[in-house]
């Protein structure tokens, strides 16, 4: 365990109200660490953010940026609690998230331990000043989670999601050949064949063409939330704001009459394609839509030079059966004052979420 005293820190920090006032960083490791991603979540359309601040950290060699959001009604956190059938929320008051819980990956990859320590300390300071119950550093991949928890041990950790990654190789045929079991391979190929026979077609949209298709995507997301009685996660203004992120695109499954049957919203970042949000029209078409859309996305990605597919956090058992590598994403939770009830609730939530993923 490494805990650095304050007097040993040589990191210079400054708070900023907007991302625009911060300098550009060197190339970011993922689209979720980009300046444009942070800016997209800065508007009034996000999940009832009560306050937002952006921290600039400089250790003399590199500058890093981390966005902090104070929220008391985070819809995604409420969704996670609902799937674990909790009767009461773990937190009884506002929480500071750094960055947004909606970032597929969080943390500060490549930052020094001094920078990480300062990020926690400044975040805790903000949480105390705003009467928040906790600072949550969400969606840390395993290496980052180990670094953050070693430098500043949290009060509790919760494994929120799994991302799912796979090398694409030559394309769809090679991917299907690597599916671990014949049952899963047959199911995947059957879904693709049924969708093709039903007339589904893939349309890939990016750039200026994105915004006109987003109302239909948003409508599917809203219908899905209603049918599953879960909180609504994305507003249309938010989806529109995300189109400013470099590499933003939509992969659309359309029926022969042009009706939208399913969609991925994602980001092309270097040679990796990240599928961030996903939705299908369950009531209009058969159960093959998601498998068909994933297969066609793999085909398109490989044909356009993508080497790694990060297939996102939804449908974890389906993606695991296809042989995709699960990447656990952990939240480090730092309470502003001792709270045995909250610690117990977070541990129960961690256990329940893991059981739900394996069900």
């Amino acid at each position: 365990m490494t805990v650095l005293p304050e007097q040993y820190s040589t990191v210079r920090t400054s708070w900023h109200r907007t991302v625009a006032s911060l300098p550009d960083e060197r190339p970011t490791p993922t689209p979720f660490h980009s300046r444009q991603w942070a800016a997209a979540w800065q508007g009034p359309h996000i999940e009832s953010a009560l306050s937002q601040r952006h921290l600039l950290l400089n250790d003399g060699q590199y500058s890093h940026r981390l966005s902090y959001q104070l929220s008391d009604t985070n819809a995604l956190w409420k969704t996670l609690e609902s799937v674990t059938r909790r009767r009461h929320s773990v937190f009884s008051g506002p929480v500071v998230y750094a960055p947004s819980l909606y970032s597929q990956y969080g943390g500060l990859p490549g930052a020094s331990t001094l920078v990480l320590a300062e990020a926690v300390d400044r975040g805790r300071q903000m949480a105390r000043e705003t009467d928040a119950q906790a600072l949550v550093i969400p969606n840390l991949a395993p290496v980052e989670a180990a670094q953050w928890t070693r430098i500043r041990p949290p009060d509790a950790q919760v494994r929120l999601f799994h991302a799912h990654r796979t090398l694409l190789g030559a394309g769809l045929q090679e991917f299907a050949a690597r599916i671990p079991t014949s049952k899963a391979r047959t199911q995947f190929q059957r879904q693709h064949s049924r969708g093709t026979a039903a007339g589904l077609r893939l349309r890939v949209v990016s750039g200026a063409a994105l915004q006109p298709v987003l109302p239909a995507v948003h409508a599917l997301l809203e219908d899905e939330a209603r049918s599953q009685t879960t909180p609504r996660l994305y507003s249309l203004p938010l989806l529109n704001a995300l189109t400013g992120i470099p590499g933003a695109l939509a992969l659309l499954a359309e029926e022969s009459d042009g009706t939208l049957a399913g969609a991925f919203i994602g980001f092309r970042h270097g040679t990796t394609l990240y599928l961030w949000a996903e939705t299908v029209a369950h009531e209009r078409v058969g159960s093959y839509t998601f498998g068909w859309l994933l297969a066609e996305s793999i085909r398109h990605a490989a044909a356009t030079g993508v080497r790694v597919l990060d297939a996102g956090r939804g449908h974890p058992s389906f993606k695991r059966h296809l042989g995709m590598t699960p990447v656990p994403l952990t939240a480090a939770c730092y309470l502003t004052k001792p709270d045995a009830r909250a610690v117990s609730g977070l541990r129960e939530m961690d256990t329940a979420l893991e059981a739900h993923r394996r069900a």
Side-chain angles (χ1 to χ4, degrees), residues 56-232:
L56 180 66
L57 306 106
N58 188 290
D59 62 2
Q61 186 176 13
Y62 296 110
S63 290
H64 301 271
R65 175 186 2 95
L66 188 60
S67 298
Y68 297 73
Q69 294 180 358
L70 176 69
S71 176
D72 61 355
T73 57
N74 188 285
L76 185 51
W77 185 272
K78 289 182 180 297
T79 299
L80 291 171
E81 290 185 323
S82 69
V83 300
T84 61
R85 302 185 185 279
R86 290 193 61 84
R87 296 181 61 187
H88 304 287
S89 178
V90 170
F91 295 121
S92 57
V95 173
V96 172
Y97 296 93
S100 166
L101 191 63
Y102 294 82
S103 296
Q104 184 125 307
Y105 293 96
L108 295 168
S112 69
T113 55
L114 290 173
V115 167
L116 302 187
E118 284 292 324
V120 173
D121 294 345
R122 300 288 78 75
R124 273 177 159 167
Q125 178 185 11
M126 175 183 172
R128 287 191 294 267
E129 291 174 353
T130 56
D131 294 323
Q133 191 174 357
L135 165 70
V136 175
I137 311 290
N139 300 326
L140 299 171
V143 171
E144 284 74 36
Q147 292 171 337
W148 284 81
T149 56
R150 183 172 62 251
I151 197 69
R152 287 290 188 263
D155 295 283
Q157 299 181 67
V158 182
R159 188 165 294 182
L160 301 175
F161 311 98
H162 282 88
H164 300 83
R165 295 173 69 88
T166 186
L167 294 173
L168 289 186
L172 180 59
Q173 186 173 359
E174 181 179 323
F175 173 84
R178 295 200 311 265
I179 295 176
T181 67
S182 59
K183 180 179 179 180
R185 186 182 311 113
T186 299
Q187 179 190 34
F188 182 63
Q189 292 173 328
R190 182 181 296 123
Q191 289 181 357
H192 186 226
S193 298
R194 288 180 64 195
T196 301
L200 291 181
R201 59 189 181 191
L202 181 72
R203 182 157 70 106
V204 182
V205 181
S206 60
L210 260 176
Q211 290 201 359
V213 305
L214 290 179
V217 176
H218 180 252
L220 278 191
L221 289 165
E222 293 281 282
D223 288 344
E224 196 165 34
R226 280 192 293 269
S227 67
Q228 297 177 3
T229 63
T230 56
R232 298 174 180 178

Side-chain angles (χ1 to χ4, degrees), residues 323-339:
M324 296 184 178
T325 301
V327 181
L329 302 174
T330 299
C333 304
Y334 302 88
L335 302 179
T336 52
K337 59 183 178 181
D339 189 334

Side-chain angles (χ1 to χ4, degrees), residues 39-62:
W41 291 92
Q42 191 171 290
H45 44 259
I46 63 173
E47 71 282 359
S48 301
L50 304 175
S51 177
Q52 298 180 63
R53 300 181 192 173
H54 307 274
L55 186 65
L56 180 66
L57 306 106
N58 188 290
D59 62 2
Q61 186 176 13
Y62 296 110

Side-chain angles (χ1 to χ4, degrees), residues 194 198 200 255 261 280-291:
R194 288 180 64 195
L200 291 181
E255 298 186 65
V280 293
H282 294 284
E283 296 181 358
R284 183 175 174 88
V285 294
S287 60
Y288 49 77
T289 307
F290 183 80

Side-chain angles (χ1 to χ4, degrees), residues 228-252:
Q228 297 177 3
T229 63
T230 56
R232 298 174 180 178
L233 298 181
Y234 313 109
S235 69
L236 183 56
L238 169 63
L239 297 182
N240 285 327
L242 296 178
T243 63
I245 298 169
L249 53 79
L251 298 148
L252 309 175

